[in-house]
């Protein structure tokens, strides 16, 4: 039976609380007597979180007018810096360009150009592209776009790209000056689909060894890679070198598809794991076309992410050799999440692990700035020149499929370390490189001899012609006119390297990468080391 005392308390408690609330409201108005505008200062508007509450308070109550949207755009990247180096916010204005990096096409007029002497020179015209269809030729100088001049001091690549690229199907008027013609020619071009290639080149290094250079893991990479494989097999390739140097990664599924071509049924390719994402393993399905092909993978300090997944899978399954220098060490998986205003968040959701269990990701405990400075520190520490300068953690030792020891701690350590070759690098070489003289000379030489060289379609033909020309004599004179005085002793040391690079750039101007890489490969110490290992 309920007591009288408890019943009385239940009656008076709500009355007492109501009195307290009324007194509190009264005090609030006395202390802040309507000085905060029309809104009631004691009303706490419902918010989803504290950050949104603060932004709304700034917008509604701050003494001055503030662009809270701009404030938010600045605040988000700063907040994400507290997470990891690869969780990033992409503003709406940048999202299209960022996504385009891994797409397979864009809208444009279909030319490769370079700015030479403040003029936009067409280096190559994409076969079947919009420019070729209207008659633009290599060597043409683009001087106007939509009746606006783009020649003269200060013209930048980014400006030219912005003018020439655009939505497919849109029109652009281009004015060009052509050699031996006094008046400009004007072309009305309809922008079309311009492919973005991720496989730079494929060719036979020796009678038995093929070479494929992959610059990124984009939407079209796998199909390009299969085409390159077919080309090499048709040339009787029995062994293969795949070059991922400088390849910073891309789509995970593309790296998996490439790995699948080389691994046997059931071999693990990679697994991922995170706090909210349980372990997921990916295994080869046994349908690859190169399961018994001997393979060498080339990597360097700028090979990251998907490149490291591929190299780690080949190494841990003992399917081939890895040649070069320790990779970057990016082993975090991002998911790109679209936001309502057209921006996006690339959020790290898990980590990559190689089949042996190595975490690819290098430490990032000291913040983003120190994380990206790691490459500089590795260079200063001597890692690019001496394998012994690289410290390994014995507690992070793992075993490959056949029992070889490999190490975790960040990045993939190659089976065959190849230091940077500095024997041909002199002050004279650095000066001509820093001033862009090798490239500029190659461009002028190509332009002045285009009528002769346009007949060449194979790299052997280009080399044969250039080997008969006084290239180095002409270059020394060109460099002197451009302000780099000849140092005969240093030139002698760098002579072969300079000669090879000049010829490689000239060949690129004539037959694109099919000319550039085979010639440059002659002085590529990492490539040559891989050839030697495969020939053993």
């Amino acid at each position: 039976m309920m007591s009288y005392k408890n019943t009385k308390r239940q009656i008076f408690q709500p009355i007492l609380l109501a009195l307290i609330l009324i007194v509190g409201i009264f005090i609030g108005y006395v202390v802040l007597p309507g000085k905060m505008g029309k809104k009631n200062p004691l009303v706490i508007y419902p918010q989803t979180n504290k950050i949104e509450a603060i932004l709304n308070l700034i917008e509604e109550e701050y003494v001055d007018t503030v662009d809270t949207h701009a404030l938010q755009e600045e605040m988000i990247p700063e907040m994400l810096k507290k997470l990891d180096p690869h969780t990033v916010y992409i503003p709406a204005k940048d999202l299209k360009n960022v996504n385009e990096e891994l797409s397979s096409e864009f809208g444009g007029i279909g030319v490769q150009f370079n700015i030479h002497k403040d003029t936009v020179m067409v280096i190559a015209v994409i076969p079947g592209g919009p420019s070729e269809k209207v008659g633009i030729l290599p060597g043409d100088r683009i001087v106007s776009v939509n009746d606006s001049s783009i020649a003269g001091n200060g013209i930048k690549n980014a400006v030219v790209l912005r003018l020439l690229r655009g939505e497919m199907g849109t029109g652009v008027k281009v004015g060009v000056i052509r050699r031996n013609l006094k008046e400009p020619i004007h072309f009305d071009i309809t922008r079309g689909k311009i492919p973005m290639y991720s496989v730079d080149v494929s060719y036979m290094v020796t009678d038995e060894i093929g070479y494929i250079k992959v610059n990124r893991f984009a939407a079209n990479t796998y199909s390009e890679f299969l085409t390159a494989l077919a080309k090499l097999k048709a040339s009787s390739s029995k062994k293969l070198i795949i070059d991922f140097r400088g390849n910073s990664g891309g789509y995970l599924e593309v790296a998996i598809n490439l790995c699948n071509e080389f691994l046997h049924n059931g071999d693990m390719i990679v697994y991922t794991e995170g706090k909210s994402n349980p372990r997921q393993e990916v295994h080869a399905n046994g349908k690859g076309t190169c399961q018994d092909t001997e393979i060498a993978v080339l990597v360097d300090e700028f090979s990251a992410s998907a490149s490291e997944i591929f190299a780690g899978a080949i190494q841990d399954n003992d399917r081939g050799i890895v040649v070069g220098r320790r990779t970057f060490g990016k082993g975090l998986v991002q998911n790109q999440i679209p936001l309502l205003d057209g921006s996006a968040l690339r959020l790290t959701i898990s980590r990559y692990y190689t089949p042996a269990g190595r975490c690819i990701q290098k430490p990032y405990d000291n913040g983003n700035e120190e994380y990206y400075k790691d490459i500089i520190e590795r260079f200063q520490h001597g890692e690019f020149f001496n394998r012994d300068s690289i410290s390994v953690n014995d507690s992070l030792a793992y075993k490959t499929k056949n029992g070889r020891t490999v190490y975790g701690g960040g990045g993939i350590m190659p089976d065959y370390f190849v230091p940077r070759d500095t024997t041909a690098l002199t002050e004279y070489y650095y000066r001509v490189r820093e001033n862009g003289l090798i490239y500029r000379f190659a461009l002028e030489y190509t332009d002045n001899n285009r009528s002769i060289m346009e007949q060449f379609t194979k790299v052997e033909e280009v080399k044969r012609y250039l080997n008969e020309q006084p290239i180095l004599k002409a270059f020394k004179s060109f460099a002197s006119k451009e302000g780099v005085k000849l140092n005969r002793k240093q030139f002698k040391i760098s002579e072969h390297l300079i000669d090879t690079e000049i010829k490689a750039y000239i060949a690129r101007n004539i037959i694109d990468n099919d000319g550039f890489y085979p010639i440059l490969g002659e002085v590529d110490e990492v490539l040559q080391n891989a050839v030697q290992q495969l020939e053993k």
Side-chain angles (χ1 to χ4, degrees), residues 459-508:
V459 65
E460 292 80 12
E461 296 171 342
V462 177
K463 286 173 60 178
R464 191 180 304 118
Y465 172 79
L466 294 178
N467 287 340
E468 295 173 353
Q469 310 306 314
I471 297 289
L472 288 177
K473 180 181 178 181
F475 176 75
K476 286 186 284 187
S477 175
F478 173 82
S480 295
K481 290 178 182 177
E482 294 294 327
V484 180
K485 186 178 178 181
L486 177 65
N487 182 311
R488 296 186 185 278
K489 181 179 179 181
Q490 293 180 6
F491 183 84
K492 190 68 177 176
I493 296 172
S494 303
E495 180 177 8
H496 180 59
L497 179 60
I498 293 172
D499 183 55
T500 304
E501 288 190 9
I502 290 172
K503 291 174 180 176
Y505 281 117
I506 293 173
R508 172 180 269 173

Side-chain angles (χ1 to χ4, degrees), residues 254-290:
V254 176
I256 290 169
N257 288 336
L258 264 64
C259 285
N260 190 63
E261 292 299 312
F262 299 94
L263 299 181
H264 299 109
N265 187 35
D267 286 346
M268 186 188 294
I269 296 174
V270 68
Y271 71 88
T272 62
E273 194 169 15
K275 179 196 70 177
S276 301
N277 293 273
R279 175 166 169 155
Q280 290 186 319
E281 298 182 358
V282 182
H283 297 262
N285 62 17
K287 298 181 180 180
T289 60
C290 300

